[in-house]
């Protein structure tokens, strides 16, 4: 109860919690109460006794919970509140009773206290009677007041004032203004608000009004979503701060480089224009691309496509980004080898990041165009854009980008590369802007070694080389003969405390050099990380099923290993992980390591300026030396190119010349790329006439570079000739004329060829082989099917050992030998070749060699031990694994080829199972684990043995326990593995859910009366 003297009453400050005051006198709508009579029409309120309370609309801490009685909190939802006259009368009665009580009481203190309404006391004394539910709730509230929840617990602006502390006000002392007494009106409003959320009795009128309000809110939310779709979600280049936190936690990157911030702030990036950016190797290009991908997925709600040059890079990136996908709720899908679904699963609730190789990226774009879903791809990022100039693969990349440019005006293309010569041509092709920077996080110093002297590379010098120092060494005559180029001295200047890469011209050189260095290393090298190296040897032996490479067995104890395609995937993975963790300090490797996975070193040595017999190109040289310098570890990186006198002039050109220019490869190898492009354009109905094909060709890189690439023949002549060639091959046909233009259509064979991504050189041959196979398909053995999916392009890479051929042929069953004779390889031919005799009958040597490779694959399928098979056929284990990988990919192509031709229906189910077996080639129980990106056979065996037998086991594993259980597994790898498993489970579950939704969806074209 209010007991203070009125002479001490100060202004009552009222704070509005609403951001705006709703007008009661403005235009009415169906939410406006029937009666609009305000009890406060001015800034003052007269209170019966002649005193006036002034309303100050400024903020005051002590009364911030008070609200204006003039504010309608209900907007017509309650009939009592809507009747303003009732509330006004109620307040008048309360004021009169308040005056009556005051006259009867003597002030006992100068304190201003907050009390309940005087009418409340009267209500407490009134007897219980039958009341409506809302009034009963009101009476219970005032009779048994409860502690009010903290501010923010209710969505209303009317506060509960029962728990406010009293504010003292003494005469002559400047005290805060007294708090307003809670009126009966306030009580009533509060209870009605509570009733709105708790009452079970809701009128139809209220339901209708709520339905209208819900609908309007829904429209408003959609409008806000559409606005925010193109807007920012947070302070980190338009992304939430959580993305920055994840980059720190998962990548260890605390802040971006200045060039990265500049690049991400470019107008072309903000306005979604195409962009090419180039920096030296290890400059941080990939992180910029990943941030742009996150923005596309999270802000613009579009899918993104990341095209990488190699399967190993795809797997590495899938592992690395799966953790982001789990945290930020988007899908990461792998398209490499035989993996990938065409067309991709159409997801309603989530966006996808497709990480693909060049070939799979092209197939993915084709499938999206065919399904009219290309607009779903908002961003395409191409790593190593200079691959456009890389033979047949460059032609495929050019096809992909040309189709995107022609078919989608909203898809942004980002190209990045460390080496770009004629960037202007690429800008014209991609209609892109260019950003270039020479930033390197670690300074790179380039040197060359000539005899016993080291020279620093300085292109500004007339001779290009400036003397730096003499090489100090003490070699015996025997050691000088073994190591005339002083590689051991150059390496031991940095190892074992720091790392070193030595690039060699051939695979055999890698193995020989690693073995030679070990012979002359100090025994102290054996003690450096001795336990870890012993563990690594055990892992290498285990992944070889008990077999261990004798070279690695000798070199690993010294911390050395070789790295090239002759190693199995498991061996390469173990070597890479051991080098990254410091267990190995030196790798002898081929140039493929520079283009593949990122393994930096303190010093990079180029054993010679050759790759096989070819002199290095500028781009290859820059890629290799770019591996020198480890960000965050080294203050400087250095490269040393070992030269002979005869190479000096060419070496000067190598280190000072500009990067080679990148040219279109659509005309590579007799114009096969151009033929494939035109075939797919007609098959996808992108173009149906010669004129439309001509218009499309104007948007290719070949068109930009027509004068340089084809100076003698015009692009139009080449196009017409290619169309005619496709007609002669029966891949396309001319139907009728429309407006004097011949309509071009694809044939069944042509559709099967482009849908299966089959090389045009082999499509006729493949069709004949499959047709012939149907005449006597061997079903009690895999051999016949394996022969049909043995890649044509690997036949010339292997020459049979005739004694081994005859021995393996003799071990075949009678049915299998009959099949071999049917395809064109009789036993008599193999026996005569093994005996060294000549053959009178001519036999197709390509068929003979292909069957030999099929026997290798067949042996591998039967026992799954790659080491045993490679020994049996006297082939390197790396070649056998490459053959297996190629056969898996080609098997997938043949499967898609047969799906388009009805006569080959019998092959579909058979090839599906065979391709699956070729993809993994392990025991059946290990296949689920090997679906995880980067998990090879050896790792899968480790996991299975430790009890992680399914994807669900791995996805729910504790990384700490996983690291303790699995040998040679680090925490970062464990986290990536678990995230990849979770992503796979999400992908499969979402695909099943989409299928369920499609089944339950009401058809849009359902007939009705």
């Amino acid at each position: 109860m209010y007991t203070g003297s009125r002479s001490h009453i100060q202004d009552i400050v009222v704070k509005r919690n609403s951001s705006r005051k709703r007008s009661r006198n403005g235009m009415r709508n169906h939410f406006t109460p029937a009666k609009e009579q305000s009890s406060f029409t001015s800034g003052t309120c007269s209170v019966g006794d002649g005193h006036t309370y002034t309303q100050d609309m400024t903020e005051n801490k002590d009364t911030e919970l008070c609200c204006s009685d003039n504010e309608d909190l209900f907007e017509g939802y309650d009939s009592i509140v809507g009747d303003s006259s009732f509330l006004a009368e109620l307040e008048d009665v309360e004021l009169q009773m308040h005056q009556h009580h005051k006259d009867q009481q003597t002030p006992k203190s100068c304190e201003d206290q907050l009390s309940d309404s005087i009418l409340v006391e009267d209500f407490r004394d009134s007897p219980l009677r039958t009341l409506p539910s809302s009034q009963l709730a009101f009476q219970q509230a005032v009779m048994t007041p409860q502690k009010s929840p903290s501010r923010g617990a209710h969505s209303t602006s009317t506060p509960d004032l029962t728990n406010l502390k009293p504010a003292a006000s003494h005469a002559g002392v400047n005290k805060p203004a007294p708090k307003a007494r809670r009126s009966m009106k306030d009580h009533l409003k509060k209870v009605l608000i509570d009733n709105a959320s708790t009452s079970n009795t809701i009128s139809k009128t209220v339901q209708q009004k709520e339905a209208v309000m819900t609908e309007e809110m829904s429209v408003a939310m959609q409008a806000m979503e559409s606005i925010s779709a193109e807007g920012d979600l947070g302070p980190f280049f338009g992304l939430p701060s959580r993305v920055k936190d994840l980059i720190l936690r998962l990548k260890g990157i605390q802040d971006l480089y200045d060039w990265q911030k500049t690049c991400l702030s470019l107008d072309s990036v903000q306005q979604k224009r195409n962009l090419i950016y180039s920096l030296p190797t290890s400059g941080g290009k990939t992180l910029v691309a990943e941030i742009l991908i996150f923005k596309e997925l999270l802000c613009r709600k579009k899918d993104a496509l990341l095209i990488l040059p190699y399967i190993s890079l795809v797997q590495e990136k899938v592992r690395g980004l799966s953790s982001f996908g789990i945290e930020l709720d988007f899908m990461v899908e792998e398209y490499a080898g035989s993996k990938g679904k065409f067309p991709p699963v159409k997801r309603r609730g989530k966006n996808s990041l497709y990480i693909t190789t060049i070939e799979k990226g092209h197939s993915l774009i084709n499938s999206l165009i065919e399904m009219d879903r290309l607009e779903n791809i908002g961003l395409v990022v191409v790593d190593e854009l200079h691959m456009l100039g890389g033979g047949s693969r460059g032609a495929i990349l050019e096809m992909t980008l040309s189709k995107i440019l022609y078919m989608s005006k909203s898809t942004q293309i980002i190209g990045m590369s460390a080496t770009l010569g004629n960037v202007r041509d690429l800008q014209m092709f991609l209609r892109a802007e260019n950003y270039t920077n020479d930033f390197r996080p670690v300074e790179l110093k380039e040197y060359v070694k000539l005899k016993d002297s080291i020279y620093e590379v300085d292109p500004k010098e007339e001779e290009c080389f400036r003397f730096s120092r003499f090489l100090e060494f003490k070699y015996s005559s025997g050691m000088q003969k073994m190591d005339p180029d002083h590689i051991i001295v150059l390496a031991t200047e940095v190892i074992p405390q720091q790392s070193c890469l030595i690039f060699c011209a051939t695979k055999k050189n890698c193995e020989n050099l690693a073995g030679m260095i070990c012979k002359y290393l100090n025994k102290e090298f054996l003690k450096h990380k001795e336990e870890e190296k012993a563990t690594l040897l055990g892992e290498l032996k285990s992944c070889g099923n008990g077999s261990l490479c004798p070279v690695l067995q000798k070199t690993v104890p010294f911390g050395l290993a070789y790295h090239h395609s002759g190693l199995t995937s498991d061996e390469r993975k173990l070597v890479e992980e051991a080098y990254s963790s410091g267990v190995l300090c030196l790798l002898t490797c081929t140039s493929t390591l520079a283009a593949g996975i990122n393994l930096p070193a303190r010093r990079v040595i180029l054993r010679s300026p050759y790759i096989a017999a070819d002199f290095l190109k500028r781009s290859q040289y820059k890629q290799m030396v770019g591996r020198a310098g480890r960000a965050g570890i080294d203050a400087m990186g250095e490269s040393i190119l070992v030269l002979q006198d005869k190479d000096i002039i060419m070496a000067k050109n190598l280190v000072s010349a500009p990067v080679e220019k990148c040219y279109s490869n659509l005309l590579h190898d007799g114009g096969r790329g151009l033929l494939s492009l035109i075939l797919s354009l007609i098959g996808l109905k992108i173009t149906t006439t010669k004129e439309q094909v001509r218009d499309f060709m104007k948007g290719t890189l070949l068109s930009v570079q027509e004068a340089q690439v084809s100076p003698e023949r015009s692009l139009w002549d080449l196009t017409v000739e290619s169309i005619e060639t496709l007609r002669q091959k029966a891949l396309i046909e001319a139907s009728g004329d429309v407006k004097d233009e011949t309509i071009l259509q694809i044939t069944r064979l042509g559709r099967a060829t482009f849908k299966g991504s089959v090389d045009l050189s082999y499509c006729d041959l493949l069709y004949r082989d499959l047709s012939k196979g149907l005449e006597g398909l061997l079903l009690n053995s895999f051999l016949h099917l394996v022969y049909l999916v043995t890649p044509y392009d690997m036949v010339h890479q292997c020459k049979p050992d005739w004694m081994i051929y005859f021995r393996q042929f003799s071990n075949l069953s009678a049915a299998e030998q009959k099949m071999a004779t049917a395809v064109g390889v009789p036993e008599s031919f193999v026996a005569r070749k093994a005996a060294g005799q000549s053959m009178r009958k001519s036999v197709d040597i390509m068929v003979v060699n292909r069957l030999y490779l099929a026997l290798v694959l067949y042996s591998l399928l039967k026992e799954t031990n790659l080491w045993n098979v490679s020994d049996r056929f006297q082939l390197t284990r790396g070649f056998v694994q490459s053959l297996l990988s190629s056969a898996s990919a080609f098997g997938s192509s043949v499967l898609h080829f047969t799906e388009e031709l009805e006569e080959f229906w019998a092959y579909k189910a058979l090839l599906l199972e065979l391709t699956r077996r070729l993809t993994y080639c392990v025991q059946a129980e290990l296949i689920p684990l090997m679906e995880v990106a980067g998990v090879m056979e050896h790792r899968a065996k480790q996991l299975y043995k430790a009890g992680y037998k399914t994807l669900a086991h791995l996805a729910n594993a504790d990384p700490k326990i996983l690291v303790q259980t699995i040998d040679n597994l680090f925490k970062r790898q464990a986290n990536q593995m678990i995230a990849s498993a979770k992503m796979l489970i999400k992908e499969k579950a979402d695909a099943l859910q989409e299928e369920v939704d499609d089944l339950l969806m009401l058809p849009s074209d359902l007939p009705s009366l």
Side-chain angles (χ1 to χ4, degrees), residues 954-972:
L954 189 55
N956 293 284
D958 184 330
K960 294 180 181 178
I961 298 176
L962 204 59
V963 168
Q964 294 172 359
T965 308
I966 306 299
D967 291 335
N968 202 32
L969 181 68
F970 303 100
K971 186 176 180 181
R972 182 169 176 268

Side-chain angles (χ1 to χ4, degrees), residues 621-653:
Y621 170 77
K622 294 301 288 184
Q623 265 192 333
M624 292 182 192
V625 301
R627 295 301 182 199
R630 299 164 296 174
I633 301 176
D634 299 325
M636 180 190 70
E638 55 187 12
S639 66
I640 301 175
L641 171 62
V642 178
L643 295 177
Q644 308 301 325
D645 289 335
K646 64 184 179 67
D647 299 322
I648 292 177
I649 296 176
M650 294 181 69
K652 288 180 179 179
N653 293 330

Side-chain angles (χ1 to χ4, degrees), residues 449 452-454 469-473 486 489-490 493:
K449 175 194 170 294
D452 59 352
S453 300
I454 303 295
R469 63 185 173 97
F470 286 110
L471 199 61
E472 296 181 4
F473 60 92
H486 314 115
V489 179
L490 294 174
E493 285 181 345

